[in-house]
Amino acid sequence: MSPTPSKKSADAAAAAATATQARSSATGLGGGGGGAGMRLIVPLQGVVQGRGGLVLGTLIPCALFYFLQFYLRRNRSPPPTSPQPPAANGPDLPGIVRSSSRNFLSARGSSSHAAISSRAASIARSCDSPYFVGTKKCSEDPYHPVDNPDGVIQLGLAENRVAFFYPRKSFILLLPFGGLIPVRSFLSIVVGLLQLSLDLIGDWLARNVKDTLLDERQGGLSISGLATYQPFDGLVELKMAVAEFMGQVMQGSVSFDPSQIIMTAGATPAIEILSFCLADAGNAFLVPSPYYPGYDRNIRWRAGIELIPVPCRSTDNFGLSIPALERAYNQAKMRGVKVRAVLFSNPSNPVGNLLHREALRDLLDFVTEKGIHVIADEVFAGSTHGTEDFVSMAEVLNTDEFDRSRVHIVYGLSKDLSVPGFRIGLIYSFNEHVIAAASKLARFSSVSVPTQHLLISMLNDTKFITQYIKTNRERLRVMYALLVNGLKQLGIESVKSSGGFYCWTDMSKFMKSYSEKGELELWKEMLNVAKIHLTPGTACHCIEPGWFRLCFTTLTEKDVPVVLERIKRVVDKH
């Protein structure tokens, strides 16, 4: 028998209820709040029987179910969460749910500090020497005869500011990257940023900077020269120009091979790269003291090389002593420290004396006997102002038979050309393996291409360079004599020197006690009372207390009486 109409309706209703219940199970609502909702919704199907009842009986329960689900979610108590920091990369993107993985981090883990390397931590904790403390105070309160006459006068920084530059002509310069700027303003920016104040350099820039930067026919810059990679160890044209300049400042006594030059961004990275090439961490260099305070940072910080001061005495005019080197070498050997090189400066920094040919020969004999290297820091080679002639280590090698592979020279243009802001230094080595390694390491301290092109043009101006070297030496001689003679009138004696930007003076008789403590007390009095920054001998590892380095190239002739009057205020109290 066929089923009756009422039987069909009942079967259809049952089938609809079964389908709805199956959909409910598929959405995971078989129990709890979801199951209770279905017990309320499914019986409503009987209300909508009739025409279209099957369709409505399916849609209405589903709509009611989703409405109830939304209501329950909205009124549910949220789980406790820790506050989330704002996004570092901007606002949240719509539709993207953030991960809650941070909720599972323990409070102890989230409060820990971000660790840095032990090497960086050691540098961050280290105390600055008086040399750097005084330099910082000068930068915070710099002296100016008009704007800040009570500021701190800088006599601690070896920088050439012998003359000031005031452009006499004004014209418009079209910059290579677009825009116009008066040359007077442009050079004022250069002087301010690079601390260039030597009028000879300023005059050259005023006459030549436009052509140097814009005229590609004369080797000027183009977009390809600015935007493409160039050799990290320096352009060949610059190496050739610098080699010629080095020969000029050494008065033609020696010539230099451009293929043995590695350009770096200043003499500091040149010394660091050489240290990396010649020694391993934990090895040592012998350094005649007093020596330049920056060596401690340049060599110890990253290369991890120990510096062993080799004391030089005032009775010998602080000259190099081979017996002292021998003692220091033997003592290091007894401690189990491997000495890899001797590092010295010529002209000496901070004393200013020159090493004669015989002393250089003795030093070469010493390093050859010990099987170690020698590094000659000759950055002041062209900044001589006395009657003695400078002798380069390269010149000694040309005239005598020594193992050339052990000799390395550091040079730069910051001192002899008065352009410290240009950051131009170099390694000149006779060791092909050192040259190969240094040329690769130079990628971390390469000189900018615009700077190289500018210097190529300047150094190739033979007439200008010749006049500059002559005038610069004359001015150094005048300023040195002016300050040293003025100090002598105050009862302060200086070591006779022939090179560098400084004089090495003895103020021991003004100390309260003949000790390192007495020296530092006098230094603090000069810095805080007289407001003059001097470099104490302690910062240079001088074994005799009471010696100070005073840089005279940071002054003008009008500044010298001001400096002497301030020093007098302090020494008169002692």
Side-chain angles (χ1 to χ4, degrees):
M1 295 178 60
S2 60
T4 62
S6 60
K7 178 69 172 176
K8 292 181 179 180
S9 298
D11 292 343
T18 302
T20 303
Q21 188 172 5
R23 285 191 296 272
S24 173
S25 298
T27 57
L29 298 167
M38 288 305 300
R39 287 194 293 272
L40 294 173
I41 293 172
V42 173
L44 293 176
Q45 290 181 340
V47 180
V48 292
Q49 299 298 325
R51 186 176 182 181
L54 182 60
V55 177
L56 293 176
T58 301
L59 296 179
I60 291 178
C62 289
L64 291 175
F65 165 70
Y66 285 115
F67 174 78
L68 179 62
Q69 185 184 43
F70 174 75
Y71 174 81
L72 292 175
R73 285 185 177 180
R74 188 168 186 179
N75 291 275
R76 184 183 302 161
S77 298
T81 59
S82 59
Q84 299 294 333
N89 296 325
D92 293 343
L93 296 176
I96 298 180
V97 180
R98 285 191 171 275
S99 170
S100 60
S101 59
R102 295 181 185 177
N103 297 333
F104 299 103
L105 295 175
S106 67
R108 181 179 179 183
S110 61
S111 62
S112 63
H113 297 290
I116 62 175
S117 71
S118 59
R119 295 170 298 178
S122 175
I123 293 172
R125 289 193 303 265
S126 63
C127 297
D128 284 335
S129 74
Y131 170 76
F132 295 104
V133 172
T135 299
K136 182 179 180 182
K137 191 158 186 176
C138 284
S139 65
E140 294 171 347
D141 184 24
Y143 166 81
H144 189 276
V146 177
D147 298 337
N148 190 20
D150 295 324
V152 181
I153 298 178
Q154 174 66 279
L155 298 183
L157 187 64
E159 183 179 44
N160 194 335
R161 301 184 186 182
V162 169
F164 293 94
F165 165 61
Y166 300 99
R168 294 184 292 271
K169 296 180 180 179
S170 180
F171 52 91
I172 299 299
L173 171 67
L174 174 65
L175 297 177
F177 43 81
L180 300 173
I181 184 172
V183 166
R184 183 188 300 271
S185 301
F186 173 77
L187 292 177
S188 297
I189 294 172
V190 173
V191 170
L193 291 178
L194 304 181
Q195 298 181 330
L196 289 175
S197 54
L198 196 63
D199 57 342
L200 302 176
I201 301 297
D203 286 343
W204 186 92
L205 290 173
R207 294 192 307 268
N208 299 280
V209 69
K210 180 180 178 181
D211 293 337
T212 299
L213 292 177
L214 300 177
D215 190 352
E216 294 185 36
R217 295 172 301 176
Q218 301 297 324
L221 297 183
S222 63
I223 187 61
S224 62
L226 285 169
T228 59
Y229 284 115
Q230 303 294 333
F232 291 116
D233 60 341
L235 298 172
V236 174
E237 296 86 352
L238 180 60
K239 292 182 180 182
M240 295 173 63
V242 170
E244 182 68 23
F245 178 75
M246 292 172 67
Q248 283 184 268
V249 298
M250 297 177 192
Q251 301 178 359
S253 60
V254 62
S255 60
F256 294 87
D257 184 352
S259 66
Q260 296 174 220
I261 292 177
I262 303 296
M263 303 302 304
T264 59
T268 293
I271 291 178
E272 186 190 50
I273 290 174
L274 266 180
S275 303
F276 186 90
C277 292
L278 302 181
D280 295 316
N283 294 162
F285 289 169
L286 302 180
V287 190
S289 66
Y291 63 74
Y292 167 54
Y295 285 162
D296 293 321
R297 288 185 171 190
N298 300 349
I299 298 171
R300 283 175 170 161
W301 273 5
R302 295 203 297 185
I305 296 170
E306 179 184 351
L307 296 185
I308 301 177
V310 181
C312 301
R313 305 284 181 172
S314 59
T315 52
D316 298 324
N317 204 38
F318 294 98
L320 180 68
S321 170
I322 298 300
L325 286 173
E326 187 75 43
R327 285 193 299 270
Y329 180 87
N330 292 333
Q331 290 171 359
K333 189 175 181 179
M334 291 176 62
R335 291 192 293 119
V337 176
K338 189 173 185 179
V339 175
R340 297 291 296 148
V342 174
L343 167 65
F344 72 100
S345 57
N346 186 28
S348 168
N349 183 5
V351 179
N353 50 15
L354 306 182
L355 268 70
H356 300 144
R357 191 181 305 273
E358 283 301 319
L360 294 174
R361 287 197 187 104
D362 292 342
L363 181 56
L364 285 170
D365 286 334
F366 174 80
V367 299
T368 302
E369 178 190 343
K370 304 301 181 185
I372 60 179
H373 296 264
V374 60
I375 303 173
D377 181 353
E378 299 183 355
V379 296
F380 287 101
S383 299
T384 55
H385 48 76
T387 57
E388 300 178 72
D389 292 331
F390 173 80
V391 180
S392 172
M393 184 63 86
E395 182 180 348
V396 177
L397 290 179
N398 282 349
T399 57
D400 297 284
E401 292 295 329
F402 290 101
D403 184 357
R404 304 163 71 92
S405 65
R406 300 184 184 278
V407 179
H408 319 276
I409 297 172
V410 172
Y411 186 67
L413 301 182
S414 296
K415 313 301 183 184
D416 287 351
L417 197 59
S418 307
V419 288
F422 280 30
R423 308 307 303 138
I424 295 289
L426 63 89
I427 297 169
Y428 188 82
S429 178
F430 295 88
N431 189 310
E432 61 181 8
H433 300 295
V434 168
I435 294 173
S439 65
K440 296 177 181 179
L441 291 171
R443 70 182 290 115
F444 302 112
S445 63
S446 57
V447 184
S448 72
V449 176
T451 300
Q452 293 190 64
H453 276 282
L454 186 63
L455 285 170
I456 290 170
S457 181
M458 182 184 294
L459 294 174
N460 285 333
D461 189 341
T462 307
K463 181 179 179 181
F464 164 74
I465 292 298
T466 302
Q467 183 61 39
Y468 168 83
I469 294 173
K470 179 182 177 181
T471 305
N472 185 47
R473 282 180 172 149
E474 290 174 353
R475 292 180 177 180
L476 289 175
R477 188 178 299 112
V478 169
M479 290 301 298
Y480 172 78
L482 196 61
L483 182 59
V484 168
N485 291 335
L487 291 171
K488 192 171 184 178
Q489 293 177 6
L490 298 179
I492 301 174
E493 297 292 335
S494 304
V495 172
K496 182 181 178 181
S497 63
S498 297
F501 295 167
Y502 33 77
C503 56
W504 185 241
T505 62
D506 181 9
M507 299 188 185
S508 58
K509 63 182 178 182
F510 304 111
M511 300 190 306
K512 294 180 180 179
S513 63
Y514 187 73
S515 63
E516 180 179 328
K517 180 181 178 182
E519 178 183 289
L520 291 177
E521 287 176 349
L522 181 59
W523 167 76
K524 290 179 182 178
E525 197 172 356
M526 287 289 184
L527 183 62
N528 298 320
V529 178
K531 303 195 79 171
I532 295 177
H533 170 39
L534 315 176
T535 303
T538 300
C540 305
H541 300 271
C542 182
I543 197 172
E544 299 178 18
W547 290 89
F548 290 82
R549 187 187 77 164
L550 285 71
C551 296
F552 56 84
T553 53
T554 58
L555 305 172
T556 65
E557 292 186 27
K558 293 181 179 180
D559 294 331
V560 174
V562 179
V563 169
L564 296 175
E565 190 276 330
R566 290 191 182 190
I567 293 177
K568 187 175 185 298
R569 286 193 312 220
V570 173
V571 299
D572 283 349
K573 297 178 182 179
H574 296 268

